[in-house]
Amino acid sequence: MGIENISASQVSEINKGLSEQVEYFRQRPLEAVYPILWIDALYEKVRYDGRVVSMALMIAQGVNLDGQREILAIEPMLEESEATWREFFHALKARGLRKVNLCVSDAHKGIQAAVRSEWLGASWQRCKIHFMRNILAKIPHREKKSFAAQLKQIWLQPDKESALRMARQLITIYGKRFPEAIECLESGL
């Protein structure tokens, strides 16, 4: 890493400074209102209790009332479930967050249930990137680029009616060739 002749005490001092910065980030007060909250979990290998385990790093990004995006929290959890998402939301509330109008995430049932119970009055929306990835995972590699280009057209339509018309067109063309992908699309609509 390009560091030579560094003593254990120097490493300890550097880590102390980093730990203080991380702790400040994790405990800093939040604004009371973030109209939009994007939430997701990223799985990473983490040393925990003397061994390396796969942990869910739960992430919340919010847009404040001035329209600025901000990472609100990144917290490790042993699993991604309704209970852990509720715990994650409770921690955000303890830091001052009171109101969210819209939560955007993947279609994880635990997230949806936690949003319904913890952010009363908030709407939930499926993230279109996650939705597209779910659909494209069921398309053969050689067909992905072409299919993705057509799939993206659904979200580029000027209104709901046009978007649904584009989706029905895709369903008609590819229903027999890629039934699993089309089933995912239909259930998500």
Side-chain angles (χ1 to χ4, degrees):
M1 292 178 51
I3 301 174
E4 295 180 26
N5 301 324
I6 189 167
S7 69
S9 63
Q10 287 172 313
V11 170
S12 179
E13 196 59 34
I14 291 169
N15 280 335
K16 182 180 175 197
L18 289 175
S19 293
E20 289 169 358
Q21 289 177 31
V22 168
E23 198 54 33
Y24 171 76
F25 173 80
R26 293 178 73 201
Q27 300 301 323
R28 77 194 187 289
L30 298 174
E31 294 180 25
V33 178
Y34 286 88
I36 304 172
L37 197 65
W38 284 270
I39 47 181
D40 200 3
L42 173 68
Y43 281 83
E44 294 290 339
K45 299 289 185 191
V46 176
R47 184 168 299 282
Y48 176 78
D49 203 21
R51 58 193 176 95
V52 175
V53 296
S54 180
M55 290 187 91
L57 297 178
M58 296 176 149
I59 303 165
Q61 180 183 50
V63 171
N64 66 22
L65 291 172
D66 295 325
Q68 300 297 310
R69 285 184 181 223
E70 177 183 341
I71 300 295
L72 306 181
I74 303 172
E75 292 294 330
M77 298 285 185
L78 289 173
E79 66 177 357
E80 184 182 10
S81 65
E82 179 183 349
T84 57
W85 279 110
R86 289 183 74 173
E87 182 180 337
F88 182 75
F89 294 153
H90 285 193
L92 294 175
K93 289 177 179 181
R95 292 172 46 208
L97 180 55
R98 296 287 171 257
K99 181 164 178 53
V100 173
N101 296 334
L102 174 65
C103 291
V104 180
S105 72
D106 61 17
H108 190 278
K109 298 295 183 199
I111 291 176
Q112 293 176 59
V115 165
R116 279 192 304 275
S117 64
E118 297 301 326
W119 304 116
L120 298 178
S123 297
W124 172 83
Q125 179 177 306
R126 186 176 190 176
C127 170
K128 72 177 183 180
I129 300 301
H130 283 94
F131 186 29
M132 288 180 66
R133 286 180 187 161
N134 294 152
I135 295 167
L136 291 172
K138 299 168 183 355
I139 300 293
H141 181 72
R142 68 184 182 282
E143 304 269 1
K144 276 190 200 298
K145 188 174 180 180
S146 170
F147 189 87
Q150 294 174 69
L151 184 62
K152 286 177 188 175
Q153 293 304 310
I154 295 170
W155 284 274
L156 296 176
Q157 298 307 303
D159 54 52
K160 183 178 178 178
E161 184 180 308
S162 301
L164 290 173
R165 188 172 36 254
M166 181 64 66
R168 285 191 297 273
Q169 205 172 49
L170 204 62
I171 290 165
T172 301
I173 294 168
Y174 291 104
K176 288 190 170 89
R177 285 181 63 199
F178 309 128
E180 290 179 359
I182 296 305
E183 182 180 323
C184 184
L185 172 60
E186 288 176 320
S187 70
L189 291 175

